[in-house]
């Protein structure tokens, strides 16, 4: 079985929560349960004109990598609805290559 990953670029994540809603609607999950969860760290001032303010989206145990959608050639629902285009789901080995490009990214192995 192919290893599936989720790559998130935190530089561009706006904390909009669209990925949570898209996942919940796609999978018919109960209110409050999603395959991805978004948290905001900060804002707090580190030094003058330097702030900690980061939105963190992270997959939960209810994420199945949108196997059914992707088998039909579609994007994962969360990735499809991420307007910042900072969220990607696909083969782990393809996503690993993107990590070298820049900092502030995280790659999760989903399965
Ligand atoms: S890949 Fe699919 S199941 Fe996983 S968080 Fe995204 S929408 Fe939910
Ligand atoms: S939809 Fe994209 S920009 Fe919005 S919270 Fe999710 S990962 Fe971040």
């Amino acid at each position: 079985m192919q290893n599936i990953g989720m790559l998130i670029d935190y530089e561009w994540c706006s904390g909009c929560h669209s990925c949570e809603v898209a996942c919940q609607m796609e999978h018919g999950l109960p209110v409050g349960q999603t395959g991805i969860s978004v948290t905001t760290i900060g804002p707090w001032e580190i030094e003058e004109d330097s702030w900690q303010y980061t939105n963190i989206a992270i997959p939960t145990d209810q994420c199945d990598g949108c196997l059914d959608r992707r088998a039909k050639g579609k994007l994962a629902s969360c990735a499809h609805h991420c307007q910042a285009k900072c969220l990607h789901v696909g083969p782990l080995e393809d996503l690993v290559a993107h990590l070298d490009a820049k900092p502030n990214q995280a790659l999760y192995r989903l399965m």
Side-chain angles (χ1 to χ4, degrees):
M1 186 176 175
Q2 192 177 45
N3 294 327
I4 303 300
M6 177 184 287
L7 179 78
I8 305 172
D9 183 345
Y10 293 126
E11 179 179 359
W12 297 109
C13 176
S14 66
C16 69
H17 297 268
S18 296
C19 49
E20 293 176 342
V21 176
C23 180
Q24 194 174 48
M25 298 297 287
E26 176 73 22
H27 295 282
L29 294 171
V31 173
Q33 296 184 25
T34 59
I36 186 165
S37 182
V38 181
T39 300
T40 298
I41 301 173
W44 64 73
E45 192 169 22
I46 300 169
E47 55 190 29
E48 192 174 349
D49 292 332
S50 176
W51 289 78
Q52 170 67 58
Y53 189 20
T54 308
N55 296 298
I56 302 288
I58 188 169
T60 75
D61 288 348
Q62 282 164 288
C63 175
D64 68 356
C66 277
L67 288 174
D68 290 347
R69 280 181 62 94
R70 292 189 307 97
K72 295 173 187 163
K74 298 178 180 177
L75 294 176
S77 185
C78 55
H80 180 73
H81 289 90
C82 176
Q83 293 184 13
K85 299 297 177 202
C86 65
L87 169 58
H88 308 276
V89 178
L92 195 65
E93 58 270 26
D94 293 350
L95 298 176
V96 164
H98 292 276
L99 280 179
D100 277 344
K102 62 189 294 293
N104 294 333
Q105 300 182 96
L107 176 59
Y108 300 90
R109 178 176 167 179
L110 299 176
M111 59 194 72

